[in-house]
Amino acid sequence: IEAYLKQSSQILKQKQYVAEAQIMDEADIQKLVAPWLGEDTNLSDIPLPGLIAVSFQPGMEIDITVLEKELQAVSPFIRIDTHQSWLSDVLRFAGALQFGSILLLSIIGVITFSAVAGAIKSRIAVHKDEVELLHLIGATDQYITSQFQKHTAWMTLQSAAIGTVIGLIALFIVGQIAGRMDFALLPDFTLSALHQISFLTLPVLIAGLAMLTARITVLHALRQMP
């Protein structure tokens, strides 16, 4: 392996677009592998590959396929692993998660709107006589609407706060479990201050959506009353 590493290193150093090609020693390779296999794993009994850390000149075009074929003339087992090859998969996966999160949030918003609208319609039907009486004696639509909005906001705020607390507890438990793992298959699972603030604002946002839904529903019902 040492002979292959030296030949490959010489080929790389001859390339104009290569800024540095350094053969990594066994200790550095073990440090790279240890997080994936566990810090307590005895790596001395595991055959480790030879690695060359290569830095390219910025702004220069590089054909990785051609370079890999040239290096494989030294040994057919040589492979070039670039950051772009695995980073593109990670970015694609992250994009899919973001799209799924947005889709899930949209579904939750639609369900919340439908649930609140249905509850308001039921409440108006139960108190139809009182609402019609208030409407007939001159109570403004704004006054009647505000009563339903206050009740809806308070009930929604309580429910959303309970759900947010449960969600934070679940995330804390997941973070504790992920933090005990000895390999780097999962990223660091921590909530920043911005994430915590975002979670705390969720009940307010949901209550605001419920108030808006209540207002639209009540005003629509009042328009149909004499």
Side-chain angles (χ1 to χ4, degrees):
I1 296 180
E2 293 182 0
Y4 293 149
L5 289 174
K6 290 181 180 179
Q7 293 181 42
S8 301
S9 176
Q10 291 176 357
I11 293 175
L12 290 169
K13 290 179 180 179
Q14 294 174 358
K15 303 299 180 181
Q16 295 181 352
Y17 49 77
V18 174
E20 184 181 5
Q22 182 179 2
I23 299 176
M24 300 182 64
D25 55 30
E26 188 174 351
D28 291 334
I29 297 175
Q30 289 181 354
K31 290 180 181 179
L32 291 175
V33 177
W36 297 89
L37 300 180
E39 299 293 342
D40 298 331
T41 304
N42 186 8
L43 300 177
S44 59
D45 298 332
I46 300 176
L48 298 176
L51 297 179
I52 301 177
V54 182
S55 300
F56 295 109
Q57 297 286 358
M60 299 189 67
E61 294 184 2
I62 305 169
D63 193 334
I64 297 296
T65 304
V66 174
L67 178 60
E68 187 174 42
K69 289 182 178 180
E70 187 174 349
L71 291 174
Q72 286 178 346
V74 178
S75 172
F77 300 104
I78 293 178
R79 296 289 183 271
I80 296 179
D81 186 12
T82 63
H83 296 295
Q84 184 178 3
S85 61
W86 58 266
L87 185 59
S88 59
D89 294 334
V90 174
L91 292 176
R92 189 159 46 246
F93 178 68
L97 288 179
Q98 289 180 346
F99 176 77
S101 300
I102 294 173
L103 182 62
L104 181 61
L105 184 62
S106 301
I107 293 173
I108 292 174
V110 172
I111 293 175
T112 302
F113 186 92
S114 302
V116 173
I120 292 297
K121 288 180 180 178
S122 299
R123 191 169 180 82
I124 291 176
V126 171
H127 300 282
K128 182 179 180 181
D129 294 338
E130 291 87 344
V131 173
E132 288 183 345
L133 180 61
L134 287 173
H135 202 241
L136 288 173
I137 64 177
T140 62
D141 292 350
Q142 182 65 32
Y143 173 79
I144 300 174
T145 303
S146 64
Q147 304 306 309
F148 284 95
Q149 283 184 289
K150 291 177 182 178
H151 177 76
T152 302
W154 175 243
M155 297 298 295
T156 306
L157 189 61
Q158 289 181 349
S159 302
I162 294 173
T164 301
V165 171
I166 295 175
L168 287 173
I169 294 174
L171 288 176
F172 176 78
I173 294 174
V174 172
Q176 291 297 313
I177 295 174
R180 295 176 183 175
M181 295 181 179
D182 294 330
F183 50 88
L185 292 177
L186 293 175
D188 185 20
F189 195 91
T190 55
L191 292 178
S192 64
L194 179 60
H195 293 151
Q196 295 177 9
I197 294 173
S198 300
F199 268 106
L200 294 177
T201 58
L202 279 177
V204 179
L205 293 176
I206 295 175
L209 176 61
M211 289 181 65
L212 178 62
T213 305
R215 178 178 179 82
I216 295 173
T217 305
V218 174
L219 287 177
H220 177 72
L222 291 176
R223 293 192 194 101
Q224 298 177 348
M225 292 183 180

